[in-house]
Amino acid sequence: MRLLALRHLPGLMALGLTALSGLPSHAGPAPEPVLHYTVQPRDTLWDLSARWFRRPASWPEVARLNRLPQPDRLSPGQTLKLPLRLLKPENVPATLSQVEGQVLLDGQPAQAGAAIQPGQQVQAGPDSSAVIQLGDGSRASLPPQSEVTLAQHQRYTLKAAQPVQDEGLYAATLRLLRGTLEVLATKAQRAKPLEVTTPTAVIGVRGTRYRVHADAQQPRTQTEVLEGRVWARNRAQPPASAILDSGQGAVLRNDQTVTPQPLAAAPDLSGLSARFERPLLRFTLPGQAGEVRVQIAADEGFLRIVRDLTLPAGEEAKIAGLADGRWYLRARQVAADGLEGLDAAHPFVLKARPEPPPSIAPRPRARQSVGTVDFSWTSNTEAARYHLQVARDAAFQDIVVQLDDLRDTRSTVTLDTAGTYHWRLASERADGDRGPWGDGQRFELRPLPEPPQVHTGEDGQIQLSWSARPDEKQQVELARDPGFSSVVTSAELAGGQWTLPSLPVPGTYYFRYRYVDDQGFVSPWTAPLGVDVPVDWHMLLLGAPLLFAL
């Protein structure tokens, strides 16, 4: 394909490039870009001027630059230096190769694949991002809340003998108005270095990966180099500039020199989970004093960024609204001067749906007696069936109940052992897609009251006793009937022992008790216990003198 393209360009079979695409070796202005052209048979300076120059009348300048004693005679194989400023370019569009969320092109909603003409503006809104593909294969990624103008995008059809792109050599300039621009510049030959400008700086590169930040509120620019090298210059008079190598960054203001600084190390993300099961992502990133910038993308290359936030180091990050699937998290530390450090990336899977249904009963930390336990929950419109687990531990390792394929929003389980239990639910769609387990809810089963023991003392008094805990109050009742419709006496005790009071009428009485714990849980009454109260002969003997007196 490249050879065929070259056949359509007579006389361009041996064009070479100087280091016009490279960075200057010093901190001063870059030298004028110049192309080296190897003369082909039948080439004349006038023909070259007519074909490739902005103004055909520029040939005398080329003759003087190359010290041609006879401008009308060129020898095949001869090398000519051609200033780039004399060559004739054409404006060509770049491409909006990626669109995520709300992206505007000159204020209008844009779609992936749209052409970006020189002078047009691209804006990424909240939770949105875009990628601009340049003609030389370079990409400029625009994260959320960023805005850039394609200031220059030109093509020179004068090409190298073995070009990287068949379309020609490109010259491109991006003007960052606000936010961040991350550039991945290819190592292709260019007509001039790829540049990113801001109101306060110019950043020039060859083949590299770097970030540029423009503050819309303050007259400052910052840049961080992740790969390769960049040349950074402010717009002061006279301007200050510096060469930044990989792992370095600089803050550019018009009132100070450009000082390269090392970038902060990438944070350690090894402690983050590889799977999240709640729609609201919650995690904490390690870090020193300062801030951490966090980005979430749909692709490993972070071209489709959907979340971008900055928060204090050590503060919990909360991210909502992501769909189930595979995602990529990227984080970097932010220094006090605003420079952002090296990236750390962490892939993760979000599986939060169908969401577990909200539970109704038992309530969290509820207490009830052993026996029948009624579980209930709210219906999930996405679910065709539910799963229920009951365990003795919060980690759900000691499972005592596992119920699947529940079609209703309630279930009854019998648990005869007192203790603390944990339960949780999961939803399943009709197609078998099962969601995660919900948060475990804790409840406690208290034992039923034990049957009391009856003791008669030497003095004839009747005592009832049973085991009781220190955190319980004991409520007792004594009645003449087993239905306790006629209660003779009642009391609330601190312990599990009660002495029957003196009763004027002998016969069978019925006793029961229940306990109330310190959380307000009230146990069931015990079964009625019949207690025979004998005739109190002592009381009768005390009344005998009265009988004889009669």
Side-chain angles (χ1 to χ4, degrees):
M1 292 295 293
R2 290 174 179 169
L3 290 176
L4 289 173
L6 288 173
R7 290 172 186 170
H8 295 290
L9 298 174
L12 300 183
M13 297 301 295
L15 174 65
L17 289 174
T18 64
L20 61 96
S21 300
L23 294 169
S25 59
H26 54 83
E32 180 181 28
V34 174
L35 293 178
H36 283 188
Y37 174 69
T38 303
V39 175
Q40 301 300 303
R42 295 185 299 278
D43 275 348
T44 67
L45 193 54
W46 293 277
D47 289 340
L48 295 179
S49 297
R51 262 186 291 165
W52 307 117
F53 290 3
R54 293 174 183 266
R55 296 188 305 107
S58 299
W59 66 265
E61 183 179 348
V62 176
R64 287 193 299 273
L65 177 64
N66 290 275
R67 299 179 181 178
L68 298 177
Q70 294 179 304
D72 58 336
R73 293 187 180 181
L74 297 178
S75 302
Q78 181 181 1
T79 300
L80 295 180
K81 292 185 289 185
L82 305 179
L84 186 66
R85 60 181 170 81
L86 300 180
L87 297 176
K88 180 171 55 179
E90 61 175 324
N91 288 326
V92 292
T95 303
L96 195 60
S97 61
Q98 293 277 357
V99 169
E100 197 73 32
Q102 183 183 15
V103 176
L104 303 180
L105 179 60
D106 274 355
Q108 299 299 316
Q111 303 294 327
I116 309 172
Q117 301 295 337
Q120 287 192 301
Q121 190 176 100
V122 180
Q123 179 180 349
D127 299 334
S128 305
S129 58
V131 177
I132 299 173
Q133 182 91 19
L134 302 178
D136 63 1
S138 299
R139 294 180 308 201
S141 177
L142 207 63
Q145 303 284 35
S146 300
E147 190 173 348
V148 69
T149 297
L150 183 64
Q152 179 193 36
H153 195 239
Q154 295 178 325
R155 179 177 62 192
Y156 295 83
T157 52
L158 188 66
K159 299 191 295 184
Q162 294 182 345
V164 178
Q165 289 83 27
D166 290 335
E167 292 80 7
L169 301 176
Y170 285 85
T173 301
L174 296 163
R175 182 172 179 79
L176 180 63
L177 304 177
R178 66 181 177 94
T180 298
L181 190 67
E182 184 166 335
V183 179
L184 178 59
T186 62
K187 296 183 179 180
Q189 298 168 340
R190 297 185 180 87
K192 72 181 186 67
L194 172 62
E195 289 185 344
V196 176
T197 68
T198 72
T200 58
V202 178
I203 313 296
V205 301
R206 185 173 61 179
T208 189
R209 178 169 167 249
Y210 65 101
R211 300 187 292 254
V212 180
H213 312 269
D215 193 328
Q217 306 299 324
Q218 301 182 51
R220 57 167 281 161
T221 298
Q222 64 192 58
T223 184
E224 300 112 17
V225 184
L226 306 178
E227 295 176 8
R229 170 180 286 190
V230 307
W231 174 66
R233 181 186 70 199
N234 64 19
R235 294 185 181 274
Q237 294 299 328
S241 60
I243 298 293
L244 305 179
D245 289 316
S246 179
Q248 291 183 326
V251 177
L252 294 94
R253 295 178 180 271
N254 289 341
D255 58 352
Q256 57 188 229
T257 59
V258 182
T259 304
Q261 302 179 53
L263 301 180
D268 181 10
L269 304 184
S270 60
L272 289 184
S273 174
R275 182 182 176 91
F276 291 87
E277 295 186 338
R278 296 295 178 268
L280 179 63
L281 267 66
R282 306 180 68 164
F283 55 88
T284 301
L285 297 177
Q288 307 300 321
E291 294 181 323
V292 178
R293 186 168 182 178
V294 179
Q295 295 175 325
I296 304 292
D299 66 307
E300 191 173 8
F302 286 86
L303 300 178
R304 299 171 58 196
I305 298 174
V306 298
R307 296 291 186 276
D308 192 341
L309 64 154
T310 301
L311 64 160
E315 181 177 299
E316 184 181 49
K318 299 177 182 178
I319 299 175
L322 298 181
D324 283 359
R326 188 167 184 82
W327 295 94
Y328 299 86
L329 182 150
R330 182 166 70 179
R332 50 184 178 261
Q333 298 188 53
V334 182
D337 60 3
L339 280 180
E340 300 182 4
L342 301 177
D343 289 320
H346 177 77
F348 67 92
V349 171
L350 175 62
K351 177 54 178 170
R353 301 164 184 90
E355 296 183 48
S359 61
I360 297 177
R363 301 186 316 275
R365 298 187 175 275
R367 288 182 175 180
Q368 68 178 78
S369 299
V370 295
T372 299
V373 181
D374 293 324
F375 296 92
S376 62
W377 53 91
T378 301
S379 175
N380 182 349
T381 57
E382 287 189 273
R385 60 188 66 89
Y386 303 97
H387 302 263
L388 169 67
Q389 273 188 349
V390 182
R392 296 184 184 277
D393 63 313
F396 287 84
Q397 298 298 312
D398 186 6
I399 305 293
V400 295
V401 174
Q402 173 84 41
L403 296 178
D404 299 304
D405 200 25
L406 297 173
R407 305 293 175 135
D408 199 359
T409 57
R410 62 182 65 250
S411 183
T412 299
V413 174
T414 300
L415 299 173
D416 293 326
T417 304
T420 299
Y421 290 83
H422 302 263
W423 71 292
R424 62 183 182 179
L425 295 159
S427 300
E428 183 178 330
R429 294 188 175 102
D431 61 1
D433 180 21
R434 178 170 165 175
W437 288 108
D439 295 332
Q441 304 289 340
R442 173 184 169 183
F443 67 96
E444 184 179 350
L445 295 184
R446 301 301 300 267
L448 296 172
E450 297 179 359
Q453 302 294 320
V454 182
H455 308 278
T456 302
E458 295 180 357
D459 55 359
Q461 288 187 315
I462 298 175
Q463 291 185 337
L464 297 105
S465 62
W466 59 93
S467 62
R469 298 182 182 182
D471 63 345
E472 298 171 347
K473 297 294 185 182
Q474 311 295 315
Q475 296 178 349
V476 298
E477 286 186 347
L478 191 68
R480 291 304 305 253
D481 65 292
F484 286 82
S485 61
S486 178
V487 176
V488 175
T489 185
S490 62
E492 185 171 90
L493 312 175
Q497 184 174 321
W498 188 46
T499 301
L500 264 64
S502 297
L503 299 171
V505 180
T508 300
Y509 289 78
Y510 294 91
F511 170 81
R512 68 180 183 180
Y513 82 92
R514 66 183 180 185
Y515 65 83
V516 180
D517 67 15
D518 58 351
Q519 300 295 320
F521 168 73
V522 181
S523 75
W525 291 105
T526 57
L529 174 68
V531 180
D532 292 326
V533 177
V535 176
D536 190 346
W537 296 106
H538 176 70
M539 294 298 295
L540 292 176
L541 289 175
L542 289 176
L546 295 176
L547 294 175
F548 288 114
L550 295 175

